[in-house]
Amino acid sequence: MKKTLALILALVMALGLAACGGGTTDEGSETGGETTGVTKLSMATGGTSGTYYGFSGVVAQVLNEKLADTLNITVQSTGASAANIDLVETGENQLAIVQNDVMYYAYSGTDMYADKTPYENYSAVMSCYPEYVQIVANQNITSIDQLKGKKVSVGDAGSGVEFNARQILAAYGIDIDSDIIKQNQSFADSADSLKNGTIDAAFVVAGYPTTAVSELASTYSFNLLPIDQEHADALMGDYGFYTYGTIPANTYTCVAEDVPAVAVMATIIARNDVSEDVIYALVKGIFDNQDAITEGHAKGAELSLETAVSGIDIPFHPGATKYFTEVDAMTAE
């Protein structure tokens, strides 16, 4: 009886280990004396109504079709960046899409992860598209330095948005804890508060157009506050995860001019124990099939070799390094 029970327990443990870590492989038919297999990966994304979930779902659908003999990706709805990093770190998912600043904080044990041991079981695969720091303000405010003394929503307490707000305000000489009347509200609540006049400005970090901001623009006129080149350069010098770009005119109906802004990148990460060959096939598959991805989701059009390696402040996965070195997007280490 004891030997039988031990064998059962060993089998259960083996099955459990196969379900996490570097993914599972199903044996397929033998071709030319070699056994082929499909590697199954689970990807943590975000809420079902959000961009992370929609974009990742299209990527998975396209690659599952184009690379059916080698790769199968399932997407999981989650609580987005911080939750996704936890899921990958513990091995419940092999892939995730996250904000690159939160990725850096967790890896380095800083800012919102300052009280935790650094997370080091994952590495970067590629940046996908920018998530701009949109500073939405009432029409009496035209520049960031005018936020001093104002009621400003900086996202949920302890969130990545709050740290973005802290860093950007500091670049303009404004202390988030003493120089503004800080409010911690969601994007939707911030939009309502702006409309009702109970706050003066709000930080929103997301790909544009952002639903909450678009809905606000339909009934309320606001300004998007620009970040000039000098302050952007200072931010990017201090924090390697920021990039600089433009929110185009008419993204929102009340904003008729281009607005320069900094952004963080929506970035794919992978567990270190996923094989080099699998991550190489993943990245190559994304770029080889970009047109098909773009047909399914508009963010596919924003994929590029240049931005794919930008804003990455942690080590790349070896499979990603192999691909980007081959296409001259980065220099081999």
Side-chain angles (χ1 to χ4, degrees):
M1 284 290 292
K2 288 182 179 179
K3 289 182 178 179
T4 301
L5 181 59
L7 287 170
I8 293 172
L9 288 173
L11 178 60
V12 170
M13 290 179 67
L15 290 172
L17 288 171
C20 61
T24 60
T25 302
D26 286 345
E27 290 188 351
S29 60
E30 289 191 359
T31 304
E34 296 183 0
T35 301
T36 61
V38 178
T39 299
K40 294 184 176 182
L41 301 175
S42 176
M43 185 170 186
T45 60
T48 55
S49 62
T51 306
Y52 281 2
Y53 184 83
F55 173 76
S56 301
V58 169
V59 170
Q61 180 180 4
V62 170
L63 296 190
N64 290 348
E65 177 184 344
K66 302 294 185 179
L67 305 178
D69 293 337
T70 57
L71 190 62
N72 181 271
I73 303 170
T74 59
V75 296
Q76 178 182 342
S77 175
T78 67
S81 294
N84 291 353
I85 289 169
D86 288 339
L87 290 167
V88 170
E89 179 72 10
T90 59
E92 293 186 48
N93 295 86
Q94 295 79 45
L95 303 173
I97 185 167
V98 301
Q99 284 186 196
N100 65 336
D101 53 340
V102 180
M103 171 186 77
Y104 171 76
Y105 300 149
Y107 192 88
S108 61
T110 56
D111 292 292
M112 59 192 293
Y113 287 83
D115 60 345
K116 297 182 179 181
T117 302
Y119 290 17
E120 297 181 344
N121 287 330
Y122 66 88
S123 46
V125 174
M126 59 177 285
S127 292
C128 298
Y129 57 85
E131 298 184 90
Y132 277 91
V133 182
Q134 302 168 67
I135 308 172
V136 186
N138 68 46
Q139 289 198 308
N140 294 322
I141 299 173
T142 58
S143 64
I144 294 173
D145 53 14
Q146 293 174 359
L147 294 177
K148 193 167 186 177
K150 299 296 193 297
K151 296 178 182 177
V152 182
S153 173
V154 296
D156 293 327
S159 67
V161 178
E162 183 170 5
F163 281 95
N164 296 142
R166 181 181 297 276
Q167 294 153 4
I168 291 169
L169 290 171
Y172 281 82
I174 300 173
D175 188 292
I176 194 173
D177 296 311
S178 61
D179 291 336
I180 65 169
I181 303 169
K182 184 174 68 171
Q183 308 286 314
N184 291 111
Q185 298 180 4
S186 69
F187 297 164
D189 288 343
S190 295
D192 288 340
S193 295
L194 276 164
K195 186 175 178 180
N196 296 333
T198 54
I199 64 171
D200 301 297
F203 281 76
V204 174
V205 182
Y208 64 74
T210 306
T211 300
V213 183
S214 293
E215 291 176 353
L216 177 64
S218 67
T219 57
Y220 178 85
S221 293
F222 55 78
N223 292 326
L224 283 182
L225 305 185
I227 296 180
D228 61 77
Q229 186 74 58
E230 179 182 354
H231 288 91
D233 287 343
L235 273 169
M236 291 187 290
D238 290 338
Y239 306 99
F241 46 75
Y242 280 116
T243 60
Y244 192 50
T246 299
I247 301 171
N250 301 311
T251 295
Y252 304 109
T253 54
C254 56
V255 182
E257 297 181 350
D258 291 349
V259 178
V262 292
V264 294
M265 299 296 293
T267 302
I268 297 174
I269 62 172
R271 282 186 58 84
N272 296 331
D273 56 11
V274 180
S275 77
E276 176 179 325
D277 288 345
V278 168
I279 296 304
Y280 174 87
L282 171 71
V283 181
K284 186 175 189 300
I286 288 173
F287 282 101
D288 285 352
N289 297 285
Q290 184 177 354
D291 288 345
I293 292 170
T294 302
E295 286 180 11
H297 199 287
K299 289 300 178 187
E302 298 182 38
L303 296 169
S304 75
L305 291 174
E306 180 181 359
T307 58
V309 297
S310 66
I312 303 292
D313 230 17
I314 72 169
F316 277 92
H317 191 285
T321 298
K322 179 181 178 181
Y323 176 77
F324 290 126
T325 301
E326 281 186 3
V327 297
D328 294 325
M330 66 189 302
T331 303
E333 296 293 334

